[in-house]
């Protein structure tokens, strides 16, 4: 099924609203939007140059704020799409993401829209938590290393870890086969701190 989906995607035309942008820069893979927040941005993917958009704008010009981008290890059909964005002090990019630490913010913004270039998609928030980047020798569950599950047990374990870390219970539990997205931004509560929001697709698209 994955191969069929990929083949169909390759032969499909981008959605009309993304055709001009995709023509301008084919490294565009989607658009991320959280209604009622400033998060409303293109999302890039450059597996051969993982951090190309860390400090570049959509046009490829130098920009400290960068452009949100997907982890180089991901593919369109990965079980978990990990999306990075800067926590900018001017309020742009993912600066407002840590507002999900508050349950009432989640209740007001339970849905994250992440369209691929070819398909409109909505995701429900599963978990929101503070974490950090771990040292190699540490055996903690590393949220950023969960990309593709070998089987249902690994997927279910990741979901359990996400929900265990969450600052509150959203009541949303993904089932094996539902794609996840994980939004990640820097925080300063500890060295290499991160704030993380995990969401699952509302309807299976595969």
């Amino acid at each position: 099924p994955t191969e069929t989906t990929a083949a169909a995607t390759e032969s499909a035309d981008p959605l009309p609203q993304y055709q001009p942008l995709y023509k301008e820069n084919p490294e565009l893979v989607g658009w991320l939007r959280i209604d009622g927040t400033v998060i409303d941005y293109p999302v890039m993917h450059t597996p051969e140059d993982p951090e190309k958009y860390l400090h570049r704008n959509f046009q490829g010009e130098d920009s400290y704020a960068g452009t949100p981008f997907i982890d180089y290890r991901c593919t369109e059909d990965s079980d978990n799409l990990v999306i990075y964005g800067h926590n900018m002090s001017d309020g742009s990019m993912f600066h407002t993401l840590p507002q999900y630490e508050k349950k009432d913010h989640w209740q007001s913004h339970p849905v994250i829209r992440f369209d691929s270039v070819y398909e409109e998609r909505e995701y429900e928030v599963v978990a929101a938590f503070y974490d950090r980047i771990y040292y190699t020798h540490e055996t903690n569950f590393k949220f950023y290393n969960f990309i593709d599950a070998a089987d249902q047990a690994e997927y279910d374990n990741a979901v359990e870890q996400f929900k265990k870390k969450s600052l509150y219970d959203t009541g949303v539990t993904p089932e094996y086969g539902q794609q996840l997205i994980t939004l990640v931004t820097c925080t300063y509560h500890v060295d290499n701190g991160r704030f993380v929001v995990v969401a699952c697709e509302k309807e299976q698209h595969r």
Side-chain angles (χ1 to χ4, degrees):
T2 301
E3 290 179 3
T4 304
T5 303
T9 298
E10 286 174 12
S11 62
D13 290 324
L15 294 169
Q17 63 265 42
Y18 300 125
Q19 284 182 12
L21 288 170
Y22 186 75
K23 188 174 182 180
E24 181 182 349
N25 188 342
E27 290 173 341
L28 173 75
V29 290
W31 195 279
L32 180 70
R33 184 171 79 254
I34 303 178
D35 289 344
T37 78
V38 300
I39 296 177
D40 190 6
Y41 296 112
V43 176
M44 316 306 285
H45 191 213
T46 51
E48 303 302 318
D49 188 0
E51 296 187 343
K52 179 174 180 177
Y53 287 92
L54 186 67
H55 295 299
R56 292 186 190 179
N57 62 19
F58 178 78
Q59 289 76 26
E61 301 161 339
D62 287 346
S63 166
Y64 188 73
T67 310
F69 62 93
I70 293 180
D71 191 292
Y72 73 97
R73 296 167 293 179
C74 296
T75 67
E76 182 186 354
D77 288 312
S78 287
D79 292 314
N80 185 25
L81 300 177
V82 182
I83 306 174
Y84 302 101
H86 285 298
N87 184 349
M88 298 299 295
S89 58
D90 67 0
S92 66
M93 297 302 154
F94 283 8
H95 179 72
T96 60
L97 194 68
Q99 291 181 9
Y100 274 101
E101 71 177 358
K102 302 171 185 172
K103 190 172 183 177
D104 60 353
H105 183 79
W106 156 67
Q107 290 170 330
S108 302
H109 308 85
V111 174
I112 296 172
R113 303 175 193 279
F114 177 58
D115 296 346
S116 77
V117 172
Y118 303 98
E119 185 177 18
E120 294 180 338
R121 299 176 184 172
E122 291 187 340
Y123 296 76
E124 295 179 287
V125 173
V126 174
F129 53 90
Y130 285 96
D131 211 326
R132 66 181 173 89
I133 302 299
Y134 294 95
Y135 293 105
T136 307
H137 68 271
E138 292 181 286
T139 58
N140 309 58
F141 174 77
K142 301 176 176 68
F143 69 89
Y144 44 87
N145 281 341
F146 177 68
I147 305 288
D148 287 296
D151 50 31
Q152 182 172 346
E154 186 177 346
Y155 181 95
D156 291 346
N157 176 66
V159 168
E160 182 181 349
Q161 295 292 333
F162 291 142
K163 291 180 71 69
K164 191 181 297 184
K165 289 174 177 286
S166 189
L167 296 166
Y168 45 81
D169 182 9
T170 65
V172 178
T173 302
E175 295 183 2
Y176 186 52
Q178 282 184 289
Q179 188 177 57
L180 308 177
I181 58 172
T182 297
L183 310 185
V184 185
T185 197
C186 291
T187 52
Y188 306 100
H189 62 292
V190 294
D191 286 345
N192 292 315
R194 299 291 186 272
F195 191 81
V196 183
V197 175
V198 180
C200 66
E201 61 178 332
K202 294 180 73 172
E203 296 181 3
Q204 294 193 28
H205 66 271
R206 292 188 274 183

